[in-house]
């Protein structure tokens, strides 16, 4: 197996998951509790990667972070490098591509929390930030854990987006899915089978852990 590609994918998945948790929790909170009429537009944008072909998303990300774009030019001035065909570029693309896999489960977890508990906290003079940290997040742990696990697994299996943005550079942007593709193209089916089996086992473990975690935690913190 291509352990270098596997390690790169794990590193990318962990980094993506941590960033998405930092961004996804406040975004999911806003989606759950905001009364803005145009909220559905934000929800549609967040969910867009679910229906948009990965190559299309990768193409637009490549344009957005390229050296001629404002973001790409700023990054080049600050670091002297380029985002396309780099690990950092893969990270940007992965965060965008896996965003709904974090936000939607977390928003569902927030929505399941009894609103009366939050209102009671506010009536007692607890700030919204403290209520979010002490009450909402602990009660929504199943949704948060599900979002983190699904985001990690989804990033591990990315292909179209990472290929468009990062290319196929060994040790830099060659993820495990691209490695499998290369092995098949080289007619090395034995190696491709071993790597595919690894991803299959990982995906099954992730899903089993998700369902087990939900069944174990939900009875501890009843939400109704």
């Amino acid at each position: 197996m291509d352990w270098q590609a596997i390690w790169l994918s794990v590193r990318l998945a962990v980094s993506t998951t941590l960033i998405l948790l930092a961004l996804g929790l406040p975004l999911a909170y806003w989606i759950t509790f905001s009364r803005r009429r145009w909220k559905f537009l934000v929800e549609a944008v967040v969910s867009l990667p679910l229906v948009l072909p990965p190559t299309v998303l990768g193409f637009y990300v490549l344009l957005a972070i390229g050296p001629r774009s404002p973001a790409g030019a700023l990054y080049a001035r600050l670091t002297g490098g380029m985002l396309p065909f780099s690990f950092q570029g893969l990270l940007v693309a992965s965060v965008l591509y896996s965003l709904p896999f974090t936000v939607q489960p977390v928003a569902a977890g927030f929505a399941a929390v009894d609103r009366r508990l939050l209102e009671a906290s506010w009536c007692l003079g607890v700030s919204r930030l403290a209520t979010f940290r002490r009450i909402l997040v602990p009660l929504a742990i199943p949704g948060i854990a599900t979002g983190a696990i699904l985001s990690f697994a989804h990033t591990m299996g990315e292909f179209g987006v990472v290929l468009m943005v990062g290319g196929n550079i060994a040790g830099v942007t060659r993820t495990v899915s691209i490695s499998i593709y290369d092995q098949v193209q080289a007619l090395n089916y034995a190696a491709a089978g071993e790597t595919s089996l690894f991803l299959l086992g990982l995906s099954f473990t992730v899903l089993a852990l998700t369902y087990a975690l939900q069944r174990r935690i939900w009875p501890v913190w009843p939400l109704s």
Side-chain angles (χ1 to χ4, degrees):
M1 287 192 292
D2 189 348
W3 290 107
Q4 186 180 54
I6 291 175
W7 165 243
L8 180 67
S9 294
V10 171
R11 178 185 167 203
L12 178 64
V14 171
S15 302
T16 299
T17 301
L18 292 177
I19 293 175
L20 282 175
L21 285 177
L23 298 177
L25 263 64
L27 181 56
Y29 178 87
W30 185 88
I31 289 176
T32 303
F33 298 104
S34 174
R35 297 182 179 179
R36 302 286 184 180
R37 292 183 177 180
W38 45 269
K39 182 177 70 172
F40 69 94
L41 295 176
V42 177
E43 293 177 296
V45 171
V46 170
S47 301
L48 197 58
L50 294 175
V51 298
L52 197 64
T55 50
V56 175
L57 179 61
F59 172 73
Y60 283 116
V61 172
L62 190 60
L63 292 181
I65 65 175
R68 295 185 179 180
S69 69
L74 177 62
Y75 182 84
R77 285 198 299 269
L78 293 177
T79 66
M82 294 194 307
L83 281 173
F85 310 108
S86 68
F87 179 83
Q88 290 75 16
L90 288 186
L91 189 57
V92 172
S94 297
V95 167
L96 294 175
Y97 190 43
S98 296
L99 183 63
F101 289 87
T102 297
V103 173
Q104 290 187 354
V106 173
F110 286 165
V113 175
D114 192 340
R115 178 82 179 201
R116 293 171 296 181
L117 298 176
L118 306 179
E119 293 175 349
S121 177
W122 297 334
C123 290
L124 292 173
V126 182
S127 67
R128 288 185 176 269
L129 180 60
T131 300
F132 174 81
R133 180 167 49 88
R134 297 176 184 176
I135 298 178
L136 187 60
V137 169
L139 291 177
I141 281 294
I144 296 173
T146 299
I149 294 171
L150 291 179
S151 298
F152 177 87
H154 186 249
T155 304
M156 283 291 296
E158 288 178 9
F159 179 75
V161 171
V162 296
L163 184 62
M164 290 289 292
V165 175
N168 187 1
I169 306 174
V172 180
T173 62
R174 181 185 294 167
T175 60
V176 64
S177 57
I178 297 176
S179 176
I180 294 174
Y181 177 80
D182 286 343
Q183 290 164 354
V184 172
Q185 291 295 304
L187 302 181
N188 189 357
Y189 293 113
E194 290 180 359
T195 310
S196 298
L197 185 62
F198 172 82
L199 278 185
L200 177 62
L202 177 65
S203 300
F204 177 80
T205 302
V206 163
L207 289 176
L209 179 62
T210 301
Y211 290 126
L213 187 64
Q214 289 177 338
R215 294 193 179 197
R216 185 181 180 86
I217 294 182
W218 280 108
V220 178
W221 289 319
L223 301 180
S224 61

